[in-house]
Amino acid sequence: MGVDVGGAIELALSLGAEYAEVREERLLRTGVMGSEEVTVSTRSIGGFGVRVLVNGSWGFVSVNSPEDIEWAVRKAVKLARVGKSSVRLAEIKPVRDIVKSRMKVKPAEVPLEEKVEAVRGLLNELPEASRKVVKYSDFSGFKRLITSEGTEIEWELTGISLGADLVVSSNGRGAWLFSLTGSIERGFEAVEGMTEKILGELRGQMNCFLRGGKPKLRDVPILLSPYFAGMIAHEALGHLGEADELPNTPLADKLGKRIAPEFVGLSDGNVPDGHGNDIYDDEGVPVRKVEILKNGIFNEPLVDRERAFELGIEPNGHARAESYAFEPMVRMRSTYFEPGDWTFEGLLEDIKLGYYLVSAGPGQTGLDSSFTVGILEGYVIRDGEIAEPIFGATASGKALDALPGIRGLGRELDFENSYCGKGQVVRVSMGGPHVLFERGIRVV
């Protein structure tokens, strides 16, 4: 007969583990996809992730069945004994808590017919295109963390997402336009607002596709929307501030040093309706705001307990796992530039000739802070006014080189809810105010 979760912890300790944890998760996922026809899928997933620390080395095994927990513990201990590490964990206070969802209308309470109708409604309102696809998904369930230190936390898990893709063509050229959003705090009541947001973004992208020309200006000021600025904050800067990546980045020896103007801040943590919001991380550490850049200085990296001990700092709640089947790793939550004191009109008026970049497309980034990203919606700025659209363009640069070129930060914060892949896919938000780069970003 197998052991239960509590027995798994006791077994791991009896086999020589100095630390052990079990994460359990059970979810029901529903998906609705609409194109030429609407298809619906549902699936139940769940299992147990067992992680142990033996002689300073990690061992991790995941299983789907409670009957396999004992085997998972013994296997994890064996794997850890093969390792040759010297891991130590920063101390935390054990937590016992139940975290409830804040959703008003939870997806499990909504008839499937209403979800299908929401997909059809958005599909019918999309601009004309060669191909149109709308995807809705939601999940409901729970996860639980039990550790040998006495932490016991159970979360109610809920979330929804909505997105649309368009394949468009005109005058011998084609493009892929898209918009995606979601929430883990607002329920089905938010679908109407999500629909309007998606339609607004796609209409802007379509306008640029149909009317926009290739950019001709070079080395001019660039004004970024909160969403575009958030992409830079997350992709080109945030990953450099994750402690497991830090040794391989240009920030490795910059902690406590100035890398941006004094008025520039970059933070990560919980934000209103943030896609990465939580009270505790997947190691049971309370989530707190981290000022990655404070007054232009590289102030604090994002850490799990292992890296917190290595760096001699307090854990800050950034150990996250995609599911029970993955080990927690250092991840962002909601990464954003802190606001400044400029109005949007003031930022525009400061630009005689430049670009306003609204929506970012696919791209690539590097751990040297380099980025190259497509521009799905962008405009020329002429004499402080938004002028003709551009299309078929990319924005590129090195974020660390561009930071000193920030001239102004808007007053209002806004965020985009999305996803981040780093071996594991997790929900994140990114954003900030409007950000004016006087130099450092090139549009071609």
Side-chain angles (χ1 to χ4, degrees):
M1 184 175 179
V3 300
D4 60 12
V5 173
I9 298 294
E10 295 176 3
L11 175 60
L13 296 178
S14 72
L15 294 173
E18 54 255 36
Y19 170 83
E21 68 185 24
V22 178
R23 288 181 295 115
E24 179 183 5
E25 187 173 323
R26 298 290 169 187
L27 291 179
L28 178 65
R29 293 187 178 273
T30 299
V32 182
M33 186 174 76
S35 185
E36 287 80 9
E37 55 185 45
V38 176
T39 59
V40 178
S41 64
T42 60
R43 62 190 179 106
S44 177
I45 60 173
F48 303 84
V50 177
R51 189 170 67 149
V52 300
L53 189 61
V54 182
N55 297 330
S57 293
W58 286 116
F60 174 78
V61 175
S62 66
V63 293
N64 300 114
S65 171
E67 286 76 20
D68 294 328
I69 294 178
E70 179 178 347
W71 175 86
V73 171
R74 294 183 183 278
K75 183 68 172 179
V77 170
K78 287 181 180 179
L79 291 174
R81 291 192 184 282
V82 174
K84 294 182 179 180
S85 299
S86 55
V87 172
R88 295 182 65 184
L89 304 179
E91 292 187 7
I92 61 170
K93 292 181 179 180
V95 174
R96 290 175 178 262
D97 201 358
I98 296 176
V99 181
K100 292 291 188 180
S101 168
R102 297 172 59 181
M103 282 190 174
K104 291 181 181 178
V105 182
K106 298 174 183 177
E109 301 168 352
V110 179
L112 185 58
E113 292 78 12
E114 288 189 36
K115 300 172 185 180
V116 171
E117 187 58 35
V119 168
R120 285 179 173 151
L122 175 53
L123 195 62
N124 291 336
E125 292 190 62
L126 291 175
E128 286 301 315
S130 304
R131 177 172 168 77
K132 299 189 277 188
V133 178
V134 172
K135 296 177 182 178
Y136 166 90
S137 66
D138 65 44
F139 62 87
S140 302
F142 75 92
K143 70 177 180 181
R144 187 161 57 127
L145 169 68
I146 298 180
T147 79
S148 57
E149 297 171 331
T151 288
E152 293 188 19
I153 306 172
E154 183 171 317
W155 292 260
E156 180 184 12
L157 300 180
T158 52
I160 62 174
S161 68
L162 185 66
D165 296 6
L166 300 180
V167 177
V168 295
S169 58
S170 177
N171 297 323
R173 66 175 183 172
W176 172 54
L177 312 179
F178 68 92
S179 178
L180 173 68
T181 189
S183 181
I184 57 171
E185 295 194 343
R186 296 187 300 154
F188 201 79
E189 73 275 6
V191 166
E192 183 177 349
M194 291 180 179
T195 297
E196 290 304 313
K197 178 181 185 297
I198 289 169
L199 288 172
E201 291 181 357
L202 288 176
R203 286 167 183 157
Q205 294 174 23
M206 180 68 84
N207 174 57
C208 289
F209 170 71
L210 293 175
R211 298 179 50 240
K214 291 286 289 184
K216 298 178 181 178
L217 307 176
R218 296 291 182 269
D219 301 322
V220 294
I222 307 294
L223 178 60
L224 302 183
S225 74
Y227 298 161
F228 215 114
M231 182 278 298
I232 301 293
H234 176 100
E235 297 289 358
L237 290 170
H239 281 299
L240 276 63
E242 293 171 328
D244 55 343
E245 303 281 13
L246 189 59
N248 302 313
T249 77
L251 293 183
D253 60 350
K254 296 291 194 298
L255 197 58
K257 297 181 181 178
R258 182 175 304 283
I259 61 173
E262 188 175 0
F263 59 86
V264 174
L266 182 78
S267 298
D268 189 281
N270 293 330
V271 301
D273 191 34
H275 221 192
N277 285 2
D278 211 336
I279 296 177
Y280 309 100
D281 73 2
D282 286 322
E283 293 183 326
V285 176
V287 174
R288 63 176 173 84
K289 176 180 176 179
V290 177
E291 294 178 287
I292 302 172
L293 297 185
K294 184 176 183 180
N295 300 325
I297 293 170
F298 179 30
N299 176 65
E300 182 180 358
L302 309 179
V303 295
D304 55 8
R305 292 181 63 187
E306 178 183 341
R307 274 76 184 188
F309 181 87
E310 290 176 358
L311 295 171
I313 65 176
E314 289 294 317
N316 49 41
H318 285 79
R320 304 181 65 191
E322 177 180 335
S323 73
Y324 73 93
F326 296 85
E327 293 184 78
M329 62 192 304
V330 182
R331 302 300 297 271
M332 287 173 274
R333 294 186 175 278
S334 299
T335 316
Y336 58 97
F337 284 102
E338 292 283 359
D341 55 6
W342 289 63
T343 64
F344 176 60
E345 293 75 18
L347 290 168
L348 272 178
E349 290 170 2
D350 201 60
I351 304 172
K352 182 174 179 61
L353 197 61
Y355 289 113
Y356 177 38
L357 307 186
V358 179
S359 179
Q364 58 185 18
T365 58
L367 286 179
D368 60 351
S369 84
S370 62
F371 62 91
T372 300
V373 60
I375 302 168
L376 293 181
E377 184 180 0
Y379 304 88
V380 173
I381 299 173
R382 188 173 284 107
D383 295 323
E385 300 284 342
I386 297 174
E388 67 271 19
I390 61 173
F391 199 80
T394 61
S396 62
K398 280 191 175 182
L400 291 180
D401 294 340
L403 283 177
I406 293 179
R407 175 171 171 78
L409 297 158
R411 296 174 180 172
E412 304 296 330
L413 286 173
D414 201 0
F415 299 92
E416 183 170 38
N417 288 351
S418 188
Y419 299 84
C420 174
K422 179 184 161 183
Q424 304 177 30
V425 178
V426 296
R427 290 173 292 276
V428 296
S429 295
M430 53 193 82
H434 281 87
V435 181
L436 173 55
F437 284 83
E438 201 165 41
R439 61 185 183 278
I441 299 178
R442 196 172 192 212
V443 172
V444 294

